Amino acid sequence: MSSQPSDPLAAVDALLAAVEAGHLLPAPAERIRLREAAGLTQAAVAQALGVRIPSIQAWEEGRAEPKPERLQAYRRLLEGLAQRYPAPPQPHATPPADTAHLPAATTNTFPAADRPGPSTPEPTTSSPASAAPPAAPNGPAVVESVVRPSSRRLAAKTAAKPATTPADPQFPHGPLAVLDGDGSAYGVNGIVLDCPATTVVELVEWTLKESGLGAPRLNRNGKDSDPLVVLTASAAVKLGLPERLEGPEERRSLRLVDDHPVVKQIGKAKWQLTQRGFGPWPRIYRKAQGSARQCVQLAVLSWDALDTRSWPGATTMHPADIARVLGTYAQRVITPRGSTAVSGLELMTALRPPTRAVQENGTWVPGHNPGSLGTDPMDPAPPEAIAEHPVVVRSGWTGGFLNEEAYQWVRDPALLSDEECLLPYAVGLDLNTAFLAAAARLTVGLSAPDHFHRPVFNKKIPGSWLADLSHIDLDPRLPSPFTPDGTRPTGPAWYQTHTLAYAQELGHDVHPVEAYLRRETGAYLDPWHDRLKTAYMDTLADLGVTADLTDAGFLAAMEHHKQTDPAMAAVLAAIKATVKGGIGKLRERPQGRTYRDGDPWPAMQRPTWRPDIRATVISKARVNMHRKLTNMVKLTGLYPLAVLSDCVVYPSPGPSPLDFLPYDASGKPLMGGFRLGPTPGLAKLEGVQEMSWAVDLMEKGLNPARHIKGGDAVLDEGE
């Protein structure tokens, strides 16, 4: 049966008429750009148009076009977004006239061995005569871009490999720069700005007036991102800062003392510091003038602004490469504002701003933004809080707390069979960004909790439920899905909705005796999940790990991906740290030796202090893990040796996951169990050791999943 049109000439005429009338939809890439510029998820667009998410995905990938009944609505959406978010100019286009006061960017070409692709990128030139000079014997050729009128010239210096992200006309030089001691400010896309500042105040004023740094808002109701200037050790010293925080008070508080000359200089110039003072991530600001913000974020590298666990290798790189690492992170995730945990939390708010403009009596005023957490902090229900929280201390609560944490479980060695002990290998699998996968399409509470007695359980309502699951008898060779340590519950306890829903899924009755539930709900984390998933997948692809690889190809690519490009490997590590840290920040505990139980602490006074949302994510992640463990038993008959958060260790006849993961006769992975791949929620190899090694650890009460990657259990006595 032919799929060709019955009248090709008529179809061609209709297509030409659509072109003439301007009724064709934008190209697929532009459809994606418009949706992401507005901060809309595919789910939101699908709901508005009354279609399924796969339809939106197909339209954005160019695999299908909307049917006539949806075409007009989809075109109207895209046209409206195009008016609000016009396409940025091409990377080599002449800059708009309103940026003529900014310093011009120096663009550099590189030898073939340093370029990401086989073709040579064309330099920005003002005329055919602006050809690149021959490469110097010991370095790359340097091509200078058109020099616009400016109060400062640009020095032509070698920079990192340029990215392909087009410049935003409002912020032509990207989100950030790394300032070195010689005045070179290395930015994204290979640009190098000449910064004349010799004091922190001069640096702030240059950044706001001349640098062209900053990033556009991630949501139409949000705010543009403040420019970030990262200081190397030599730049910090040049600006009058100590190379390291050395005094006892500075080391204790991780910030300059209030009478430090730089702090006094900032105050004298009528600038202000936030409450955290001048530490590794100081923010310097003045009160906004109208809608124009006056704020600059700094980061001092020699004060350990970049944690080596989150940014491996970044601090030892050349400033140009640091700019590439941080710039890529800023463009794919958010401009860093502190640790990756802080950035993860800031990203939630940037994608779901608490307010939007609404009209009251003909005047635009800030109003609540539906789907957000609002502007005011919210007290948790007593079982959702922690023992130090004022809600608990004031009420004298003794009813117990939620214990929704990630797995830390080791199987009883007595339950190992002879067949398992005779297998030669223990193989660890690690789930990619398990918390991020759990956040997908996750309904969480948005309003304050209400207290209920003897409620009927409803798996669609997020909240905390008091129930007794101790009667449920499960296979002891698997961890219990109801406790973090995998042991069977001993009596009534508080559980998050997903945990009780999984008990129902396993065929058990659930009868809560008490609950704290939320009436207003929503998928608050959806845009956060979508942006971080895209960033994660794009960065893995930069490292040669793509979704189209076979399982064997995936394992081979993952074995060497960190050596492919150390800069992108650092970005990948930072993205993963952003996921875990952002979820962890939802229940940040009090800090400091002077803290007393019952006193409020800074973290709990923000709207994003939401331990219930954290519990929801972790509960779903743990349930997802148990479901895979159970399915693996059904598919392969294998039981795990140990689980630690998102890592599971299995006995194996061979040293590869391919030796025990389930496949059908054609070699296709079976659904339900663990599968290999780069997507969040799929698995990768964590490590391989001898089975005797794992058994020895288990008999000592240690967790093989904690050490499967490096085999350092003998050195670790603190577990």
Side-chain angles (χ1 to χ4, degrees):
M1 189 172 176
S2 174
S3 61
Q4 300 297 322
S6 57
D7 188 352
L9 291 178
V12 169
D13 289 341
L15 187 60
L16 291 173
V19 173
E20 183 69 23
H23 289 167
L24 291 183
L25 294 173
E30 177 65 3
R31 304 173 196 178
I32 296 174
R33 186 194 71 80
L34 290 171
R35 176 179 58 77
E36 291 181 343
L40 297 174
T41 64
Q42 292 178 334
V45 175
Q47 183 177 6
L49 297 178
V51 298
R52 298 184 303 114
I53 295 176
S55 298
I56 303 299
Q57 294 172 338
W59 300 349
E60 292 187 347
E61 293 171 4
R63 295 185 285 106
E65 294 293 299
K67 294 182 179 179
E69 61 268 23
R70 297 286 186 270
L71 180 62
Q72 184 175 357
Y74 189 46
R75 183 190 301 119
R76 180 175 179 181
L77 171 65
L78 295 177
E79 289 174 349
L81 295 178
Q83 293 176 358
R84 293 171 172 81
Y85 307 99
Q90 295 301 313
H92 302 313
T94 302
D98 61 357
T99 61
H101 65 287
L102 297 172
T106 298
T107 307
N108 302 284
T109 58
F110 289 79
D114 292 339
R115 291 196 297 267
S119 60
T120 304
E122 295 181 4
T124 304
T125 58
S126 56
S127 67
S130 304
N138 297 321
V142 176
V143 179
E144 197 160 292
S145 64
V146 184
V147 179
R148 299 188 298 271
S150 168
S151 62
R152 286 285 162 184
R153 67 175 179 81
L154 258 179
K157 301 179 178 74
T158 302
K161 287 184 282 187
T164 58
T165 305
D168 185 279
Q170 187 179 358
F171 307 107
H173 294 154
L176 57 86
V178 179
L179 180 62
D180 207 0
D182 63 357
S184 301
Y186 296 87
V188 300
N189 298 339
I191 68 170
V192 186
L193 304 175
D194 183 18
C195 175
T198 58
T199 68
V200 170
V201 170
E202 289 178 356
L203 174 62
V204 170
E205 293 175 348
W206 172 84
T207 302
L208 293 174
K209 296 177 182 178
E210 299 187 47
S211 71
L213 298 175
R217 64 198 67 188
L218 298 180
N219 182 286
R220 60 178 299 185
N221 297 309
K223 300 174 182 177
D224 294 336
S225 184
D226 298 320
L228 167 64
V229 180
V230 181
L231 307 180
T232 64
S234 58
V237 172
K238 178 182 177 181
L239 297 173
L241 298 168
E243 183 173 344
R244 301 199 67 84
L245 295 172
E246 296 177 345
E249 177 63 22
E250 292 176 346
R251 288 198 304 269
R252 186 190 65 79
S253 62
L254 294 178
R255 67 188 207 177
L256 294 179
V257 293
D258 293 340
D259 61 352
H260 190 279
V262 170
V263 177
K264 293 196 293 185
Q265 177 192 90
I266 291 171
K268 185 176 181 181
K270 307 301 182 184
W271 291 96
Q272 295 180 333
L273 290 163
T274 58
Q275 289 185 350
R276 61 183 176 184
F278 203 115
W281 289 90
R283 290 177 71 81
I284 303 174
Y285 70 98
R286 281 178 182 157
K287 188 176 181 180
Q289 295 179 346
S291 60
R293 288 171 60 83
Q294 297 188 91
C295 186
V296 174
Q297 176 76 67
L298 302 181
V300 188
L301 290 177
S302 58
W303 297 3
D304 300 325
L306 298 183
D307 189 324
T308 56
R309 295 168 298 180
S310 302
W311 303 92
T315 55
T316 60
M317 294 178 181
H318 185 276
D321 293 315
I322 298 175
R324 179 173 174 239
V325 169
L326 296 178
T328 302
Y329 179 90
Q331 292 166 335
R332 294 181 178 178
V333 181
I334 192 173
T335 303
R337 303 183 187 182
S339 67
T340 49
V342 169
S343 297
L345 201 65
E346 292 282 353
L347 180 63
M348 295 180 195
T349 303
L351 293 169
R352 293 276 199 190
T355 61
R356 64 173 181 171
V358 297
Q359 273 195 321
E360 287 187 4
N361 301 322
T363 303
W364 290 101
V365 297
H368 175 65
N369 187 22
S372 75
L373 298 183
T375 57
D376 299 321
M378 184 182 299
D379 280 341
E384 297 168 348
I386 54 180
E388 306 96 313
H389 198 283
V391 164
V392 175
V393 175
R394 286 197 306 262
S395 64
W397 173 262
T398 57
F401 300 97
L402 275 176
N403 190 23
E404 299 287 8
E405 301 293 341
Y407 269 133
Q408 294 193 47
W409 171 82
V410 179
R411 199 203 311 179
D412 183 349
L415 298 177
L416 291 172
S417 68
D418 292 341
E419 292 79 5
E420 288 175 316
C421 292
L422 290 175
L423 290 173
Y425 296 101
V427 177
L429 294 177
D430 180 70
L431 296 184
N432 303 318
T433 57
F435 289 166
L436 185 62
R441 315 296 172 251
L442 180 67
T443 301
V444 301
L446 300 178
S447 57
D450 291 322
H451 194 193
F452 297 87
H453 291 279
R454 297 288 176 185
V456 175
F457 178 68
N458 186 333
K459 66 180 182 180
K460 295 183 179 181
I461 301 178
S464 303
W465 312 75
L466 180 62
D468 190 350
L469 303 181
S470 61
H471 63 284
I472 299 178
D473 187 22
L474 299 175
D475 193 320
R477 291 172 292 180
L478 291 175
S480 168
F482 311 127
T483 61
D485 62 3
T487 59
R488 182 172 176 173
T490 57
W494 288 95
Y495 299 100
Q496 200 277 330
T497 299
H498 281 87
T499 304
L500 285 193
Y502 188 58
Q504 275 192 336
E505 182 181 324
L506 294 175
H508 302 281
D509 290 333
V510 174
H511 301 289
V513 297
E514 193 177 349
Y516 286 90
L517 309 177
R518 287 171 165 80
R519 299 180 187 274
E520 184 183 346
T521 65
Y524 172 72
L525 293 174
D526 260 11
W528 186 81
H529 162 271
D530 293 350
R531 186 167 178 85
L532 284 169
K533 177 183 177 181
T534 300
Y536 179 78
M537 296 291 291
D538 288 350
T539 307
L540 268 179
D542 288 342
L543 294 168
V545 184
T546 56
D548 58 351
L549 293 172
T550 63
D551 283 2
F554 168 73
L555 290 174
M558 287 299 294
E559 187 175 354
H560 303 290
H561 75 287
K562 293 181 180 179
Q563 290 74 42
T564 302
D565 186 340
M568 289 301 99
V571 175
L572 184 69
I575 292 171
K576 292 190 289 186
T578 301
V579 173
K580 284 192 174 182
I583 296 299
K585 276 280 185 180
L586 292 170
R587 199 191 68 171
E588 184 177 357
R589 291 181 174 272
Q591 302 175 19
R593 293 175 299 177
T594 60
Y595 177 76
R596 296 291 180 269
D597 289 356
D599 292 342
W601 61 94
M604 61 158 280
Q605 298 179 59
R606 65 188 180 219
T608 48
W609 196 84
R610 290 295 302 273
D612 58 300
I613 296 180
R614 174 186 178 273
T616 303
V617 173
I618 296 177
S619 169
K620 184 180 176 183
R622 197 182 66 246
V623 164
N624 287 347
M625 172 66 83
H626 192 274
R627 188 180 290 113
K628 292 179 186 295
L629 297 174
T630 302
N631 288 336
M632 281 290 289
V633 174
K634 298 175 182 177
L635 295 170
T636 68
L638 288 176
Y639 291 86
L641 302 176
V643 184
L644 181 70
S645 187
D646 48 10
C647 177
V648 56
V649 178
Y650 274 102
S652 172
S656 168
L658 301 176
D659 295 317
F660 67 90
L661 289 179
Y663 295 86
D664 63 16
S666 65
K668 185 178 180 180
L670 294 178
M671 301 295 290
F674 294 100
R675 293 187 296 142
L676 299 174
T679 307
L682 298 188
K684 60 181 179 292
L685 176 64
E686 178 70 3
V688 183
Q689 300 290 339
E690 293 182 355
M691 182 64 180
S692 58
W693 170 91
V695 173
D696 184 55
L697 288 185
M698 295 168 68
E699 291 176 342
K700 293 178 180 178
L702 300 176
N703 192 326
R706 184 181 297 278
H707 308 286
I708 190 75
K709 193 170 186 176
D712 57 347
V714 175
L715 302 177
D716 187 350
E717 298 179 355
E719 181 161 319

